[in-house]
Structure formats: C-alpha cells, structure tokens
Amino acid sequence: MPQPKLATFPQIRGALRFYQICSVITGVGLLLLCAEMVLKYTPLAVELFFLDSQGLFAFREVVPQGDELVSTGDGVNLSLGILIVHGWFYVVYLFACFRVWSLMRWPFWRFILLAGGGVIPFLSFFMEFVVARDVKRYLAERETAAAEKKAAQAQEVTP
C-alpha cells in the first residue's frame, strides 16, 4: 500500500483536525436524533417545538393519521430540525472522512468504518479517538524516521 508523502503531512494534520470537529458534531447530532426518535416512536409519542402556543419550548403530541404520524404543535418543529441538520452535516462528515482516508492512503474498508460513525450511535466518538491516535502516531514515526535518515545522510557526506 502506498505511503503518504512527507509533503502532505501539513494537509493531513488539517484534515485530521477538521475530521475531529466534524466527528464530535455528527456524534452529538446522532445522539439527539436517537433521543428524538425515542420520543416520537415510543408510547410517549411527542415532538419538541420552539415558540409554540404552549410556551417557549413545548413537547406536543404526535397523532397517527393513516400511515403517518402528524404533529400537533404550531411552533418550529425542533425534532424535524434535528433530523435535517444531522442529515446535511453527515454529508460534511463524509467529506471529512474521505479527506483523511485519501490523504492517509488507507484501504477502502477503513473509509466504510469511518462513514459508519455518522449512523451508529457513539461510534463517531470512538473512531475520532482511534483515528486521531493512529494518525498522530504515524506522522510522528514517519517524521522521526525521515529526520534520522537525513542526519545519517549528512554524516556520510561530512568526512
């Protein structure tokens, strides 16, 4: 498998930082989405609304109507907002995963594992930790090896 070039290490560090930020945001969004789904699709059957007629924040009942669940709130549906924001930010998260994956020249299965962080609760937090550790260790080892090689070459040239 080809190795990343030393010249790409600054890009890798930037991509890793972007990935870490996206990973945390995606993980929090996914946990909020899971909480929203539990509230909506369990016997609780409620959704969270903002600026509703019942108050600043209000849980309003969701009623079945045919094959659908219909909200009874009249404010801004925060539950729907969480769904939309997480879905669109997942696209940004995939870009961050792709950038780290391609710069590190990892096998394709690793990209699939990274992408799973946005759909499996808590996986993004775990992957963020593991990827950051692996990438930082790899970069440090390669830079140390390159510095040692450069020092050895300098000693060979100097009599």
Side-chain angles (χ1 to χ4, degrees), residues 89-144:
F89 200 81
Y90 182 66
V91 175
V92 176
Y93 173 73
L94 285 177
F95 173 74
C97 293
F98 176 79
R99 188 149 160 75
V100 169
W101 169 77
S102 64
L103 286 170
M104 288 299 295
R105 300 179 180 216
W106 284 332
F108 186 69
W109 64 265
R110 190 119 187 217
F111 175 74
I112 298 300
L113 189 60
L114 289 169
V119 293
I120 300 172
F122 297 105
L123 183 60
S124 70
F125 301 114
F126 175 75
M127 289 303 299
E128 184 272 328
F129 173 78
V130 170
V131 167
R133 181 195 63 199
D134 291 351
V135 169
K136 289 176 182 176
R137 181 184 306 145
Y138 175 81
L139 296 179
E141 288 172 359
R142 282 281 308 274
E143 287 172 334
T144 301

Side-chain angles (χ1 to χ4, degrees), residues 26-154:
T26 300
V28 169
L30 182 59
L31 292 178
L32 288 172
L33 180 61
C34 289
E36 184 271 325
M37 291 176 70
V38 166
L39 289 172
K40 185 174 182 177
Y41 296 108
T42 62
L44 294 171
V46 294
E47 285 187 318
L48 181 61
F49 281 82
F50 177 65
L51 295 176
D52 193 74
S53 60
Q54 290 186 352
L56 187 61
F57 291 99
F59 285 106
R60 297 297 295 265
E61 186 179 15
V62 179
V63 294
Q65 197 172 64
D67 291 342
E68 296 181 17
L69 291 175
V70 178
S71 301
T72 58
D74 55 10
V76 177
N77 188 338
L78 291 180
S79 297
L80 181 61
I82 290 167
L83 175 74
I84 292 169
V85 169
H86 172 71
W88 279 106
F89 200 81
Y90 182 66
V91 175
V92 176
Y93 173 73
L94 285 177
F95 173 74
C97 293
F98 176 79
R99 188 149 160 75
V100 169
W101 169 77
S102 64
L103 286 170
M104 288 299 295
R105 300 179 180 216
W106 284 332
F108 186 69
W109 64 265
R110 190 119 187 217
F111 175 74
I112 298 300
L113 189 60
L114 289 169
V119 293
I120 300 172
F122 297 105
L123 183 60
S124 70
F125 301 114
F126 175 75
M127 289 303 299
E128 184 272 328
F129 173 78
V130 170
V131 167
R133 181 195 63 199
D134 291 351
V135 169
K136 289 176 182 176
R137 181 184 306 145
Y138 175 81
L139 296 179
E141 288 172 359
R142 282 281 308 274
E143 287 172 334
T144 301
E148 289 172 357
K149 183 178 177 182
K150 190 174 183 180
Q153 288 174 344

